[in-house]
Amino acid sequence: QVQLVESGGGVVQPGGSLRLSCAASGIFFSRYDMAWYRQAPGKQRELVASITSGGSTSYADSVKGRFTISRANAKSTLYLEMNMLKPDDTALYYCNRRTTTYAWGQGTQVTVSS
């Protein structure tokens, strides 16, 4: 059974930082391109950042220069370093494969508020 468990979210002030983690099990993690997605209330889930099995990264324009995606294949863990957070970054953040996604986990809530 594939499991994706996100953690690290919380409430931060604008301009603050958070580091999200995604622990994967039940898959050959190192074989797949992975990604972080987010969904705000009333909005569709969107792709935030992705990383290939070889380590190449890509970012949505809205987060480019502020977020960094990385992976630790030996630990089957995906990370998202989030800096200079804005209120518009408030959302439930999920990890998954970049394509042909597995079942979604519970996500981790990020709230940016003054």
Side-chain angles (χ1 to χ4, degrees), residues 21-99:
S21 298
C22 168
S25 62
I27 62 171
F28 291 103
F29 180 81
S30 64
R31 296 182 179 181
Y32 299 114
D33 297 350
M34 298 294 293
W36 285 96
Y37 304 81
R38 68 186 182 187
Q39 187 169 28
K43 295 184 177 181
Q44 190 170 328
R45 184 183 293 112
E46 64 176 342
L47 178 66
V48 176
S50 62
I51 184 167
T52 69
S53 60
S56 297
T57 60
S58 183
Y59 301 91
D61 287 342
S62 60
V63 307
K64 192 173 298 182
R66 299 188 296 120
F67 291 9
T68 302
I69 187 172
S70 61
R71 65 195 300 162
N73 288 338
K75 300 177 181 179
S76 295
T77 301
L78 186 72
Y79 301 100
L80 185 67
E81 180 70 36
M82 310 166 68
N83 300 308
M84 296 180 287
L85 284 161
K86 304 175 180 179
D88 285 347
D89 295 319
T90 296
L92 191 60
Y93 284 71
Y94 302 88
C95 64
N96 218 312
R97 288 188 296 177
R98 189 169 63 86
T99 57

